[in-house]
Amino acid sequence: MENNENETKLKKMLNLLWLRPENALLDVYKSNIFSDFKFESPSLDLSCGDGLFMFLHLGGELDQNFDYFQSTKAKEFKHDSFVDIYDDCKKEYSVDVTKPAKQKIDYGSDWKEGLLNKASKLGIYNQTILHDNNNLPLPFKDNELKTIYSNSIYWVNDINAILKDINRILKPGGIAGLEVMTPYFLETLGKLKSVFSKEAIDILDRKRSETMPCNLTYSEWKDLFIQNGFKIKEVRNVYPNKLLLDIWNVGLRPISHLLIQMSDSLSEEKRAKIKEEWVDIFFKLLKPLLSMEKNYSLEDSPYLMFILEK
C-alpha cells in the first residue's frame, strides 16, 4: 500500500483512537494485512465488538468530532480487577457517519450487548447477534457461511471446539480469515520484569495475560487448523517489527482511564481543540513507523493471520 494511503488511514485511526495513539498505529497494520480479504455473502464478523475498526477498514468515514471514548465506563476502572471500560452504550450514544462503508457484512456477533448496540449504529452489519463464543454451537446452520473473519478466537476457553464449529458453519470452499496471538505477544512485559516491580508489571499488563487463554506458537496454530478440517491457504505476519509491540505493550494504556475522564470534563469546544492538536502531534510522531523493516519470522511472530479454506 502506498505511503499516502497509509497516512490517510493513520489520520482516520488517530482521530477515532486519539487517547490511545498506539492502538491507532497497530490498527493500520491490522487493516493492511487483510486489505484484499473479500467478504463474500453470507459473511460473518465473529466477535465484531463495536464495529468501529471494521467500519473504517471497509472505507467508512466518521465526523472528526466523533471518537472511541464518548461512551465508556472509565470511572469504574481499577488496576487490580479486569473491567472492559468500552463495554458501554449510553442511550444518547450516536455515531456521526460522514461516509458509509463500501460494503456490508451479513452478520456481526459478539457477547457484549453494549458493544453490539454501538456496532448496530454503523450500518455495516445486516444483522447483529448476541452470542458468547464459549457457548457452542454457534448460532448458524451447517455449511451456511461463505466468509468468516475473526480477530478474537484466542479468547475462548476451548479452542478446538470453536474451530470445529467454525468449520461446521462454513460452506465447502468457504474462506475464514482468523487472527491469532502467540506467546510472543506480551514479550515486552517479560523483558521489563527484570527492571520493573511486580506492581508495575501488573499495571502494564491490565490482566491481559490472565484473560487471553489461548496463545499458541505458529506451528501449534498451523497443526490445530489442519486437525480441524481446514486447508491453510496463506499465513501473514500482522506486525512485522518488534518495536511496534514494545510501543503498544506500554503506550498510554496505564493512564487511559484517567485521560478519558479528563477529556469528559472538558467543554465540547475545548475538547475538540485539544484533540485536533493531540492528533496532529501523534501523526507526526507515528508516521515514520508506518513502513518498518521486518524483523519477525512467522515462527517468532506475536500475531498472525491465517487464511483458511474448508
Side-chain angles (χ1 to χ4, degrees):
M1 184 173 287
E2 296 295 330
N3 281 341
N4 58 346
E5 292 181 66
N6 273 335
E7 290 175 14
T8 298
K9 188 175 289 188
L10 178 60
K11 286 181 180 178
K12 290 180 181 179
M13 294 294 185
L14 278 172
N15 198 68
L16 176 66
L17 297 161
W18 65 295
L19 295 176
R20 291 295 305 278
E22 69 276 13
N23 282 1
L25 176 64
L26 262 64
D27 276 359
V28 173
Y29 277 94
K30 183 182 283 190
S31 176
N32 286 348
I33 206 67
F34 74 114
S35 59
D36 60 343
F37 188 80
K38 297 180 180 178
F39 287 93
E40 297 185 39
S41 291
S43 54
L44 166 66
D45 184 356
L46 185 65
S47 302
C48 65
D50 60 20
L52 287 166
F53 166 77
M54 186 60 72
F55 176 81
L56 294 183
H57 171 75
L58 295 176
E61 296 183 10
L62 301 166
D63 185 271
Q64 65 179 3
N65 290 321
F66 174 83
D67 60 63
Y68 193 66
F69 309 101
Q70 293 177 347
S71 182
T72 74
K73 296 185 287 188
K75 292 181 180 179
E76 299 177 24
F77 178 80
K78 294 180 180 179
H79 279 292
D80 58 358
S81 61
F82 183 78
V83 177
D84 184 352
I85 63 175
Y86 304 107
D87 181 21
D88 184 49
C89 189
K90 299 181 177 67
K91 290 182 179 180
E92 65 272 18
Y93 178 86
S94 62
V95 183
D96 302 316
V97 174
T98 58
K99 180 181 177 181
K102 295 177 181 178
Q103 69 173 111
K104 289 189 174 185
I105 297 173
D106 293 292
Y107 303 103
S109 73
D110 203 272
W111 70 292
K112 295 183 177 181
E113 189 173 8
L115 297 181
L116 273 185
N117 288 339
K118 291 180 178 181
S120 66
K121 298 177 183 294
L122 291 165
I124 56 168
Y125 302 113
N126 289 326
Q127 183 178 345
T128 55
I129 299 173
L130 183 65
H131 184 80
D132 185 344
N133 293 337
N134 286 306
N135 297 328
L136 298 175
L138 295 167
F140 299 96
K141 299 176 183 177
D142 293 0
N143 307 314
E144 181 176 353
L145 302 169
K146 179 68 175 177
T147 313
I148 298 173
Y149 166 82
S150 181
N151 62 10
S152 298
I153 62 164
Y154 53 86
W155 289 90
V156 301
N157 297 324
D158 189 340
I159 188 64
N160 260 305
I162 193 169
L163 288 179
K164 182 178 180 180
D165 211 52
I166 289 173
N167 187 278
R168 175 188 66 81
I169 64 177
L170 198 61
K171 292 177 180 290
I175 300 297
L178 305 180
E179 295 176 7
V180 297
M181 185 181 72
T182 79
Y184 304 106
F185 196 68
L186 301 177
E187 68 176 352
T188 307
L189 303 184
K191 291 185 290 186
L192 291 174
K193 283 182 179 179
S194 63
V195 181
F196 286 4
S197 67
K198 183 183 183 302
E199 182 182 21
I201 294 297
D202 288 344
I203 288 172
L204 291 174
D205 189 2
R206 279 201 172 187
K207 302 292 182 180
R208 288 179 292 159
S209 57
E210 297 178 19
T211 55
M212 296 177 177
C214 192
N215 55 342
L216 306 177
T217 66
Y218 160 69
S219 296
E220 288 170 335
W221 279 116
K222 186 172 62 172
D223 292 345
L224 199 58
F225 289 132
I226 293 171
Q227 291 167 14
N228 283 282
F230 293 100
K231 174 184 176 182
I232 298 174
K233 296 193 68 178
E234 191 177 353
V235 187
R236 300 175 179 181
N237 186 359
V238 181
Y239 308 123
N241 194 283
K242 296 178 186 292
L243 181 60
L244 295 170
L245 267 293
D246 286 341
I247 291 171
W248 181 79
N249 271 307
V250 180
L252 297 183
R253 178 181 290 105
I255 59 169
S256 61
H257 61 296
L258 301 175
L259 293 173
I260 293 169
Q261 291 178 70
M262 285 193 288
S263 67
D264 286 345
S265 70
L266 300 172
S267 66
E268 288 186 15
E269 183 180 1
K270 185 67 173 177
R271 188 180 193 275
K273 187 176 184 301
I274 290 175
K275 177 183 173 180
E276 182 179 7
E277 186 174 353
W278 184 292
V279 168
D280 184 59
I281 289 171
F282 275 102
F283 176 74
K284 292 172 182 175
L285 289 173
L286 299 179
K287 183 169 64 171
L289 303 181
L290 290 173
S291 302
M292 301 205 70
E293 292 183 4
K294 178 181 176 181
N295 63 7
Y296 278 128
S297 65
L298 291 178
E299 286 75 14
D300 64 359
S301 173
Y303 199 78
L304 297 162
M305 182 171 189
F306 280 80
I307 309 295
L308 308 170
E309 182 178 3
K310 178 176 177 178

